[in-house]
Amino acid sequence: MAKEIAKASQNELTWKHKIGYAAGDAGGVMTLILVGSYMTRYITNVLTIPYATLSVLLLIWNIWDMVNDPLMGTLMDKTFANAKSDRDKFRPWILYSIAPIVLGLIAFFSVPSLLNGFSAVAALFLFKIVYELGYTMMNIGMGSLLGTMATNDPERATLSSARGMGSTVGSLVSMVAIPQILSRLGENPQGYFWSAVVCGVLGGFSILLHYLWTEERNITEKNSDPNDEKNKVRFTDIINVFKQNRAFLALSLHSIIIVFGTTIYSQFNAYMYADVLGDISLLSYTSIISMVLTIIILTFAPGLVKRFGGTVRVIRAALLIGIVLMASLFGVMLGTDIPAAVFLVASGVGFAMINLSVQMQWGLVGESIDYNEYLTGKRTEGAIYGTFSLTRRVGQTISQSLAVLMIGWIGYNPELTNAGIAQADGTIFSIKFMTLVVPAIAALGSWACFKFIWHLEGDLRDKLTLWKDSKTADVEGFDEE
């Protein structure tokens, strides 16, 4: 054991590790973009399933996902604690996730189009459950893996940036490919089938690289005595996290709010380009702008964090820039029609600034996990990350259900779009409002969470650093013995 700890502390985080970790979120996001941004149009416009039925399906799906995330994380912790062999804690789950993700996605966007009525709805329900089971398994494993892969704060920051870049690249691939496929094949069963095949195969291969090129190096976090009472994992542990961990509370509230805003943006952006600007293929180019800008910022993230004095300050500054850009663009569009290129650039940059809080939050999740161990003496990456993922599901549940209902409330008529006829003026105004103003309001709420609730700064952060240093000293002393 001592030799393993010494070896883990000496091995450096390699480029293969970084690329492998980035590949996980890249693969997951490649599939998630198709589900998150195009599922509603596929179900209502192609399968012609009523909005009310879709709303009920979304509610059931999301409630299950909300419960499934913390349960999956806690199951991973408990399974590892009870294992007798020297197995990895999270990587096996990542490997198991590939089949349900790929097969569930392709089946979801193909099989229901071959059926009618109740059988089509039942197929939708089943294959979405299969896909989400795989995605949850991969996502919780990948997020929790950061704690057992990084051995210190610089490595945690590096892996967080790598994950952000991977997510950005995965989003870019899907957001460029899907509109082009649909533009050429049409928004029909064939177009969505091939979109699912491309996203599923590329995503599955990327997740496989994630499994092959990562390593659970942090032996001190992987190995603990499961018979020690303080190390026993219980499903009720998460209650104490919310009671005691103010940093995690700030992150959870931020997660719900920002996911709400970004999901509404993603849901309505397709309607903006298809029904307001008149060309859904333009969606590819705004994705390129926002994603490339995000990659550039993440590349310089360590320097920005150092210059601004912390990750939270960088996030707050980016949020404010995004708020100003999105709100200003909406104000201009109230008074005049603007060229599509202007909207494309302004909205792409604005969303990139807002979405940066999502790309850079993973290191803060790691800090909240450290802080929770500091408070309780117990390290449960899976349970905490699973609960954080639950908060993201809460935001998605609210926003997806509301988006579906709002599409009907604002008077959107898919028959007009299919016939090449413009939507009503009130509908056009509402699409602009939901695409630009709602994300800006959500960004303001996220900024408030990091400004007034997050508290791992100053003296408290110094205490946490000293405590972590003392843990390292204890391990080194054990190794010398």
Side-chain angles (χ1 to χ4, degrees):
M1 174 68 176
K3 292 181 179 179
E4 287 181 330
I5 295 174
K7 182 179 179 181
S9 64
Q10 293 169 3
N11 290 341
E12 293 184 355
L13 196 65
T14 67
W15 276 104
K16 186 176 180 180
H17 289 137
K18 298 171 189 176
I19 295 172
Y21 192 73
D25 219 18
V29 169
M30 284 181 200
T31 67
L32 193 61
I33 290 297
L34 181 60
V35 175
S37 298
Y38 294 91
M39 181 179 68
T40 298
R41 291 180 70 88
Y42 164 69
I43 293 176
T44 58
N45 290 20
V46 176
L47 302 180
T48 65
I49 290 176
Y51 289 111
T53 302
L54 175 57
S55 181
V56 173
L57 285 174
L58 285 172
L59 180 62
I60 297 173
W61 283 332
N62 286 317
I63 288 176
W64 164 244
D65 291 337
M66 289 164 57
V67 174
N68 189 33
D69 285 338
L71 289 180
M72 181 65 73
T74 304
L75 177 63
M76 291 179 181
D77 285 333
K78 289 181 69 67
T79 300
F80 179 75
N82 295 330
K84 302 300 183 182
S85 60
D86 186 21
R87 64 190 293 271
D88 280 345
K89 187 174 184 180
F90 300 111
R91 290 178 64 252
W93 297 89
I94 293 168
L95 180 63
Y96 304 153
S97 73
I98 297 175
I101 288 176
V102 177
L103 298 179
L105 182 74
I106 295 175
F108 180 82
F109 282 99
S110 59
V111 175
S113 64
L114 305 175
L115 306 172
N116 294 300
F118 176 79
S119 59
V121 174
L124 277 174
F125 180 83
L126 174 63
F127 291 126
K128 180 66 158 50
I129 291 293
V130 172
Y131 166 78
E132 288 293 348
L133 175 65
Y135 184 83
T136 299
M137 195 182 299
M138 186 282 300
N139 186 53
I140 302 301
M142 173 191 61
S144 304
L145 178 63
L146 188 146
T148 58
M149 193 171 176
T151 59
N152 51 52
D153 285 344
E155 289 185 350
R156 181 182 291 119
T158 298
L159 292 178
S160 297
S161 296
R163 175 173 178 171
M165 291 184 185
S167 174
T168 302
V169 171
S171 297
L172 182 60
V173 170
S174 290
M175 288 184 172
V176 170
I178 296 171
Q180 298 303 322
I181 294 172
L182 295 179
S183 178
R184 285 163 172 76
L185 299 181
E187 289 194 76
N188 52 43
Q190 183 184 17
Y192 278 103
F193 168 73
W194 284 109
S195 296
V197 169
V198 171
C199 293
V201 172
L202 290 178
F205 178 73
S206 187
I207 295 170
L208 180 61
L209 286 182
H210 175 62
Y211 168 76
L212 294 173
W213 289 2
T214 54
E215 178 185 0
E216 299 194 16
R217 307 161 54 248
N218 197 336
I219 306 300
T220 59
E221 302 300 353
K222 277 185 59 178
N223 292 278
S224 59
D225 182 7
N227 295 316
D228 190 335
E229 184 66 25
K230 72 175 185 179
N231 291 326
K232 289 185 178 180
V233 179
R234 300 178 177 86
F235 286 99
T236 57
D237 287 343
I238 199 60
I239 298 175
N240 292 327
V241 175
F242 281 109
K243 286 182 178 180
Q244 303 178 44
N245 195 330
R246 179 175 162 183
F248 185 72
L249 177 62
L251 277 173
S252 298
L253 292 175
H254 144 77
S255 177
I256 294 172
I257 295 169
I258 204 65
V259 168
F260 175 87
T262 55
T263 303
I264 289 291
Y265 174 87
S266 297
Q267 291 281 346
F268 276 87
N269 213 23
Y271 292 88
M272 172 67 78
Y273 282 93
D275 298 294
V276 178
L277 299 177
D279 188 354
I280 196 172
S281 67
L282 291 174
L283 192 57
S284 298
Y285 302 106
T286 191
S287 300
I288 292 173
I289 291 173
S290 61
M291 299 307 171
V292 169
L293 181 59
T294 300
I295 290 174
I296 293 173
I297 295 174
L298 288 173
T299 301
F300 295 99
L304 290 172
V305 169
K306 184 177 180 180
R307 181 178 180 84
F308 278 79
T311 301
V312 167
R313 293 187 179 182
V314 174
I315 289 176
R316 289 201 298 252
L319 286 170
L320 290 177
I321 295 172
I323 291 168
V324 171
L325 283 173
M326 301 292 264
S328 299
L329 181 58
F330 177 76
V332 171
M333 294 184 72
L334 286 180
T336 183
D337 292 331
I338 63 173
V342 174
F343 177 86
L344 190 151
V345 173
S347 64
V349 174
F351 181 72
M353 292 293 100
I354 292 175
N355 198 48
L356 192 67
S357 65
V358 178
Q359 307 292 1
M360 297 185 67
Q361 69 188 359
W362 310 114
L364 300 181
V365 176
E367 287 188 31
S368 70
I369 291 173
D370 284 344
Y371 183 56
N372 196 72
E373 185 181 9
Y374 170 76
L375 293 173
T376 67
K378 184 183 300 186
R379 190 171 187 89
T380 52
E381 299 102 328
I384 294 177
Y385 185 83
T387 303
F388 180 72
S389 185
L390 179 149
T391 64
R392 294 171 58 79
R393 297 291 190 183
V394 170
Q396 289 174 349
T397 299
I398 297 172
S399 57
Q400 286 180 346
S401 298
L402 181 61
V404 170
L405 294 175
M406 284 295 297
I407 291 169
W409 292 344
I410 65 178
Y412 180 80
N413 186 346
E415 294 180 0
L416 294 179
T417 297
N418 294 336
I421 302 174
Q423 298 289 327
D425 290 342
T427 302
I428 297 298
F429 170 84
S430 297
I431 291 174
K432 295 175 182 177
F433 183 88
M434 298 299 291
T435 305
L436 298 172
V437 177
V438 171
I441 294 173
L444 183 61
S446 176
W447 176 88
C449 290
F450 288 120
K451 178 67 176 178
F452 301 111
I453 303 178
W454 179 268
H455 71 315
L456 293 185
E457 300 179 283
D459 292 341
L460 181 57
R461 188 178 182 82
D462 292 340
K463 290 180 181 179
L464 185 60
T465 300
L466 289 173
W467 170 78
K468 288 161 63 178
D469 289 344
S470 68
K471 281 189 63 182
T472 301
D474 290 341
V475 170
E476 291 176 349
F478 172 74
D479 181 50
E480 291 174 0
E481 294 177 5

